[in-house]
Amino acid sequence: MSKFIELGLKEPITRALTDLGYETPTVIQEKAIPQILSSEEDLKAFAQTGTGKTAAFSLPIVELADYDNSQTQAIILSPTRELAVQIGKNIEDFSKYLPNLKVATVYGGANIEQQIRQLKKGAQIVVGTPGRTVDLIKRRALKLGNVKWLVLDEADEMLNMGFKDELDKVLEATPEEKQTLLFSATFPREVEAIANNYMHNPVEITSGQKNQGSDNVSHEYYLVTEKTRYPALKRIADINPDIYAIVFCRTRRETQEVADKLIQDGYNADALHGDLSQAQRDSVMEKFRKRNIQMLVATDVAARGLDVDSLTHVINHKLPDQIENYNHRSGRTGRAGNKGISIALVNRKERGKLNPIERILKKKFIQVSIPTGKEICEKQLFHLIDKVENSEVNTAEIDTYLPSIYEKLSTFSREELIQKFVSLEFNSFLSYYENAPDLNKITSRDRGERGDRERGGRNGRRMSSENMTRFFINLGRKDRLNPAKLMGLINEQGINKSVEIGAIDILDTFSFFEIDKNYESQTLDAFASNAPDFNGRNVNIEITKTERKGGGGRRRNSSRRRNDSGGNGSSGGFGRSRRSKPRSNNNNEGGRERRGFGRSRNNNRK
Ligand code: AMP
């Protein structure tokens, strides 16, 4: 029998919960549900994201709402569109056996007329972002005169985002005698003020100790310099081949830059921030949920509505400005009984910021050394061996080819064969990290020299200019080309998967890229025969014989030389992506485009 019945919920609801796999209530649900069901007192709940707070406030409302009355009885305010959509969806799931209960979700950035039509049909529960809710109240499309429940979810975040006026307006539109349920992970002065002004002797409940992080999360920090911050991030990804993480940045710009670099370096990453359109954000989140993206680089606000329980890591590329936000961030991992690791990349100056966070968490950060190249190679190698050990062989499919394959490989011993297969996958990794510096030893004094070396590409493997051919391509920034898109375009041409791509220079109307000299003609042929099209333009590439230093090599024309050496191109000097051929959609990793080593090909990216 579902334990939710004991909390006083009726059978159609507990049946829906069983369908969702909710068997045992979480702490906040155990405390909040009976309280709201049995009393009309206001409620102030300390609850972080991941504690099951959505069900804690929604289930009693779903239980008590009058299904025969189509007027709005509950208004739930949430800081972001994503979170609002998530809450609306949860309520639909909870009420799937209550056909007369309707929920409407309203948020900015979407067609308001459509939302008005939905409201007109009648919805007992409305979930909304503050701005759009006020808009709809003003247009008289949303009437809150009969509201019995007002929920302020993530109240601290709504105030952080500057929604104080909107909250006031919504509160004014609701009747005096209603039950206000305020959920917040932190209680700064502004949230207390809302509680004092609009709530009457609220009952307080907490999902654990106030502001304290989940017990399932361990907190680690890596000491970096500005030069090693990004290489350290890459190494953390490389030492965790199955990483599934959000990398938090403070600004949209930082977010985009880090994501671009990771993409260019061949990681399965993407950016999520407020400069993206709603459709782009939805698409990125969907890919992340499906694990087509392993590392989501995000701002705090954009990552709010993401409902993912199985993150292995949360990485603070930079610590948040407000220390309470560290808690929000780290609370994204260690959810639903899973273990998680929250990592902070800090320089010497920033290390001091960890002390107040430790006081809030009541936990100590553990310092972890940035993994060395050798450690990473060892980890990756055994990961590869594990994958070989556990891979399923589809004999029906390959049986016909096996005799000739055995025949071809018959001259090799077992050991030689193992060596060859392992080398095939592993050589580029080994050579990338061969001679890689120990990033822990890089101090701010010598960081320029050695930090740059890591940035320069796969050490040991990185080909010197004389081993690379430099290509001209007739696309530039004006065509919305960037390094990631260029790599995607190259990937799509089906050139040998292990080819090394060198520096990329994106200029206004054209660009340059380097490719391993041995693949020079293959690259030319591939582009010529595929005749690719990019944003409606036919793509042409040509070999340039120029020296990047500005030597007397042959150029297409002088203006190009000026631009090329003028420093206004975005030099793609960072590490190179290992490239692989497109996989078919029916690959046995459920559509994940992932090769070994936590890296992936970058094609199909737009
Ligand atoms: P929330 O804190 O509301 O964002 O919930 C965090 C995650 O826990 C969501 O994915 C919920 O679907 C899930 N969840 C909430 N309550 C339960 C429960 N009692 N049993 C299992 N999963 C739950």
Side-chain angles (χ1 to χ4, degrees):
M1 190 177 76
S2 165
K3 297 209 175 80
F4 282 93
I5 293 179
E6 292 163 23
L7 297 186
L9 297 170
K10 56 176 138 265
E11 195 276 337
I13 300 178
T14 57
R15 186 152 38 107
L17 292 176
T18 307
D19 292 352
L20 290 170
Y22 287 24
E23 282 165 14
T24 314
T26 64
V27 175
I28 192 80
Q29 291 162 2
E30 243 171 6
K31 292 183 181 176
I33 295 171
Q35 169 64 32
I36 305 169
L37 288 178
S38 62
S39 149
E40 290 180 1
E41 281 171 305
D42 289 342
L43 181 83
K44 200 168 132 187
F46 295 85
Q48 289 163 6
T49 176
T51 53
K53 64 185 169 56
T54 312
F57 60 73
S58 309
L59 289 173
I61 297 174
V62 171
E63 170 78 30
L64 297 172
D66 178 357
Y67 315 134
D68 299 327
N69 174 354
S70 63
Q71 287 175 323
T72 301
Q73 297 160 38
I75 172 80
I76 299 169
L77 291 182
S78 104
T80 64
R81 295 176 274 208
E82 286 78 16
L83 189 57
V85 169
Q86 190 62 45
I87 296 170
K89 163 125 196 352
N90 283 347
I91 296 176
E92 276 171 14
D93 290 341
F94 300 151
S95 59
K96 74 178 200 196
Y97 297 116
L98 299 168
N100 293 332
L101 183 70
K102 298 276 183 274
V103 53
T105 307
V106 296
Y107 46 87
N111 186 323
I112 197 163
E113 299 300 333
Q114 212 172 322
Q115 293 175 357
I116 292 173
R117 279 197 294 278
Q118 200 192 354
L119 289 172
K120 274 201 179 128
K121 284 191 212 154
Q124 290 94 346
I125 303 176
V126 175
V127 189
T129 51
R132 179 54 61 98
T133 302
V134 170
D135 241 9
L136 290 162
I137 293 171
K138 282 189 187 149
R139 291 174 183 234
R140 298 179 185 282
L142 178 60
K143 300 194 175 74
L144 300 182
N146 293 303
V147 153
K148 286 190 195 154
W149 299 277
L150 165 71
V151 182
L152 303 174
D153 188 27
E154 306 213 349
D156 50 350
E157 199 54 34
M158 286 199 278
L159 293 170
N160 271 343
M161 289 170 71
F163 286 132
K164 167 89 177 57
D165 289 348
E166 284 81 358
L167 289 197
D168 287 339
K169 287 195 177 103
V170 176
L171 283 153
E172 278 160 22
T174 57
E176 184 57 19
E177 50 303 328
K178 63 178 178 292
Q179 188 172 20
T180 301
L181 312 171
L182 185 148
F183 283 72
S184 200
T186 58
F187 274 77
R189 233 178 317 120
E190 298 81 358
V191 179
E192 289 293 359
I194 291 269
N196 292 338
N197 292 343
Y198 292 103
M199 298 170 84
H200 309 288
N201 302 322
V203 174
E204 284 192 20
I205 58 170
T206 159
S207 63
Q209 269 193 303
K210 287 176 197 175
N211 294 339
Q212 200 185 327
S214 156
D215 275 348
N216 287 335
V217 181
S218 51
H219 301 265
E220 299 177 349
Y221 79 93
Y222 290 73
L223 200 55
V224 297
T225 63
E226 284 325 293
K227 292 279 181 187
T228 62
R229 193 182 292 274
Y230 175 68
L233 173 65
K234 287 201 299 181
R235 289 194 185 190
I236 291 168
D238 285 344
I239 197 100
N240 292 289
D242 289 324
I243 194 165
Y244 183 42
I246 302 183
V247 179
F248 280 101
C249 297
R250 280 184 312 186
T251 62
R252 295 168 184 191
R253 187 160 163 208
E254 182 194 334
T255 305
Q256 193 61 56
E257 280 172 4
V258 172
D260 282 348
K261 282 197 266 183
L262 286 171
I263 293 164
Q264 193 184 340
D265 289 345
Y267 293 85
N268 242 334
D270 214 334
L272 186 70
H273 54 70
D275 282 347
L276 304 178
S277 70
Q278 183 62 34
Q280 285 172 318
R281 282 159 72 168
D282 290 346
S283 147
V284 171
M285 293 212 283
E286 187 59 15
K287 281 193 259 172
F288 188 56
R289 280 197 195 98
K290 288 188 172 154
R291 293 198 177 216
N292 290 340
I293 295 170
Q294 275 182 277
M295 281 192 286
L296 181 72
V297 190
T299 55
D300 292 278
V301 170
R304 276 269 143 160
L306 248 185
D307 182 35
V308 176
D309 286 340
S310 46
L311 292 186
T312 57
H313 294 78
V314 158
I315 302 176
N316 292 265
H317 181 256
K318 292 257 177 85
L319 284 172
D321 289 328
Q322 288 179 313
I323 53 171
E324 288 94 354
N325 271 342
Y326 177 86
N327 231 342
H328 279 304
R329 291 179 175 186
S330 61
R332 316 297 309 193
T333 184
R335 296 170 68 159
N338 298 317
K339 294 263 177 236
I341 299 173
S342 175
I343 289 174
L345 302 179
V346 292
N347 62 28
R348 286 189 192 286
K349 256 163 79 186
E350 292 163 341
R351 188 163 48 178
K353 290 188 181 175
L354 299 178
N355 301 332
I357 298 176
E358 287 181 335
R359 280 197 290 277
I360 292 174
L361 294 172
K362 297 198 168 53
K363 271 189 186 172
K364 287 270 173 219
F365 276 86
I366 300 159
Q367 185 180 358
V368 179
S369 313
I370 303 168
T372 62
K374 188 164 177 283
E375 286 165 339
I376 291 171
C377 288
E378 229 174 80
K379 184 74 186 265
Q380 291 283 355
L381 184 54
F382 285 101
H383 182 69
L384 170 66
I385 303 304
D386 285 345
K387 269 171 61 176
V388 171
E389 195 183 355
N390 298 325
S391 66
E392 275 179 34
V393 177
N394 185 344
T395 39
E397 288 283 324
I398 59 169
D399 259 1
T400 25
Y401 310 106
L402 283 177
S404 46
I405 295 173
Y406 291 149
E407 170 73 32
K408 208 166 164 53
L409 299 176
S410 62
T411 53
F412 298 111
S413 68
R414 175 178 177 273
E415 285 69 26
E416 283 169 331
L417 278 176
I418 293 176
Q419 283 162 13
K420 276 185 178 293
F421 276 104
V422 168
S423 304
L424 194 69
E425 277 289 311
F426 201 57
N427 275 356
S428 73
F429 223 89
L430 277 178
S431 44
Y432 178 58
Y433 276 116
E434 191 189 350
N435 305 323
D438 181 350
L439 297 183
N440 300 293
K441 294 205 179 117
I442 293 175
T443 63
S444 41
R445 255 173 288 128
D446 61 2
R447 67 188 174 187
E449 199 191 326
R450 280 186 281 183
D452 278 341
R453 195 164 166 226
E454 173 89 1
R455 286 172 17 129
R458 301 192 170 183
N459 298 314
R461 174 76 192 268
R462 189 187 179 195
M463 298 196 149
S464 57
S465 284
E466 63 268 24
N467 292 327
M468 302 298 270
T469 297
R470 191 163 159 81
F471 284 87
F472 159 88
I473 183 163
N474 66 329
L475 301 171
R477 243 179 259 123
K478 289 202 166 129
D479 304 290
R480 307 182 141 227
L481 188 73
N482 60 29
K485 286 183 182 168
L486 178 53
M487 292 198 50
L489 185 65
I490 299 169
N491 280 338
E492 282 161 15
Q493 306 316 313
I495 306 155
N496 186 298
K497 68 176 180 184
S498 55
V499 68
E500 193 77 5
I501 301 175
I504 289 175
D505 292 318
I506 306 284
L507 306 169
D508 276 349
T509 53
F510 56 90
S511 306
F512 297 95
F513 62 90
E514 291 179 346
I515 274 197
D516 179 346
K517 205 160 142 186
N518 297 317
Y519 295 91
E520 187 178 291
S521 46
Q522 216 189 96
T523 306
L524 277 178
D525 291 348
F527 273 87
S529 57
N530 296 340
D533 166 280
F534 185 85
N535 288 346
R537 281 196 66 184
N538 293 332
V539 179
N540 288 313
I541 63 163
E542 286 173 37
I543 293 174
T544 70
K545 299 284 184 214
T546 48
E547 300 298 320
R548 303 188 80 219
K549 298 173 199 99
R554 206 155 26 97
R555 286 272 181 177
R556 287 174 54 85
N557 63 38
S558 57
S559 72
R560 274 189 192 136
R561 178 166 53 231
R562 263 201 314 276
N563 279 339
D564 184 28
S565 53
N568 59 350
S570 64
S571 177
F574 285 84
R576 313 294 165 232
S577 173
R578 231 166 60 89
R579 300 184 48 243
S580 64
K581 280 198 174 138
R583 285 186 177 201
S584 64
N585 285 338
N586 58 353
N587 70 59
N588 56 13
E589 282 191 288
R592 283 168 76 176
E593 299 194 321
R594 199 162 65 114
R595 292 188 56 84
F597 321 140
R599 294 166 186 240
S600 72
R601 67 192 184 86
N602 286 314
N603 56 354
N604 294 333
R605 302 193 46 76
K606 287 270 147 33

